[in-house]
Amino acid sequence: MTVRFVESSKLPTPWGIFVMHGFCDAENDKEHVVLTMGDVSTDEPVLARVHSECLTGDALFSMRCDCGPQLQAAMHKVALAGRGVIFYLRQEGRGIGLLNKIKAYHLQDQGADTVEANEQLGFGADMRDYSILKPMIEHLNIQSLKLLTNNPRKVKALQDMGVNIVERLPHQTGRNPHNAKYLETKKGKLGHLFNSEDDE
């Protein structure tokens, strides 16, 4: 197993105090973190968000995507529940990396959608690998998840590797004029499930 646990610490945030667990993936030299709140090792299903790193959305407040608002909303929902887990995976740009994502953005500036841009660069529409979650889930003794996602492929990927997903909870937020086409592509080409035009 290439993913190993390193250390845990407290992480105070505007939504409450999480515990941050650090993991190292030796195979590709990536560092991942998992935020937990409350006891996630009981039999009760854990409210969970699997979030792939998005420097532009999470840290630079980009409005080209809905990633930053989704991360913040997940932290807020976990804090309201008093118990939950957020997996923060270093899989920038749906797995193509930050610099390739900037190249993809350039193609989108010329009129390509997110899927077309990835494919023009020689990548698949979504290159993320969720198998790295398994050792993290096992380390934290998590039995089952209530997953905050609009992405049925993510649910299937986790189920295929033996993770018990008891419920998929819609997680819509962050729609704005700059990401309308991005969200339509998510829905039309990647099969994301959006309940309505309205965000929560």
Side-chain angles (χ1 to χ4, degrees):
M1 184 53 67
T2 62
V3 178
R4 63 178 181 84
F5 168 72
V6 178
E7 192 53 273
S8 298
S9 71
K10 287 182 180 175
L11 183 73
T13 75
W15 299 276
I17 298 175
F18 289 81
V19 178
M20 179 168 60
H21 311 269
F23 292 84
C24 179
D25 183 353
E27 187 175 328
N28 53 26
D29 201 29
K30 290 276 179 73
E31 298 165 337
H32 308 280
V33 295
V34 182
L35 304 183
T36 61
M37 186 177 281
D39 185 357
V40 296
S41 65
T42 66
D43 291 340
E44 184 73 22
V46 180
L47 183 64
R49 171 75 183 160
V50 174
H51 187 88
S52 296
E53 176 183 37
C54 175
L55 179 78
T56 47
D58 299 340
L60 301 178
F61 312 106
S62 169
M63 295 173 73
R64 297 185 75 133
C65 61
D66 54 349
C67 303
Q70 282 194 324
L71 177 61
Q72 293 184 32
M75 294 176 77
H76 183 60
K77 287 174 181 179
V78 166
L80 285 177
R83 178 175 177 269
V85 59
I86 296 169
F87 300 91
Y88 194 87
L89 308 180
R90 306 295 293 280
Q91 304 199 106
E92 180 75 53
R94 293 192 189 131
I96 68 173
L98 179 60
L99 297 182
N100 282 320
K101 176 168 142 180
I102 295 171
K103 290 179 185 177
Y105 276 176
H106 175 73
L107 292 172
Q108 289 167 43
D109 291 342
Q110 316 301 313
D113 66 33
T114 51
V115 171
E116 290 163 352
N118 271 26
E119 289 172 347
Q120 285 174 34
L121 291 171
F123 299 109
D126 192 337
M127 305 288 289
R128 288 176 290 183
D129 174 16
Y130 295 112
S131 65
I132 53 176
L133 285 167
K134 197 75 188 295
M136 301 178 197
I137 289 169
E138 288 171 354
H139 175 82
L140 295 166
N141 292 315
I142 292 171
Q143 308 302 313
S144 59
L145 300 177
K146 292 186 292 186
L147 195 62
L148 289 163
T149 185
N150 307 315
N151 184 354
R153 295 183 190 194
K154 190 181 287 185
V155 175
K156 186 178 186 307
L158 269 64
Q159 288 174 331
D160 285 349
M161 63 191 196
V163 178
N164 183 14
I165 309 286
V166 298
E167 190 178 359
R168 182 194 73 82
L169 300 170
H171 194 57
Q172 284 171 241
T173 186
R175 180 182 292 272
N176 71 72
H178 301 281
N179 67 19
K181 183 178 177 183
Y182 164 88
L183 292 174
E184 284 310 306
T185 303
K186 268 189 169 184
K187 183 177 180 178
K189 292 193 174 181
L190 298 173
H192 286 227
L193 306 170
F194 296 122
N195 290 349
S196 69
E197 292 300 305
D198 298 323
D199 293 337
E200 292 172 1

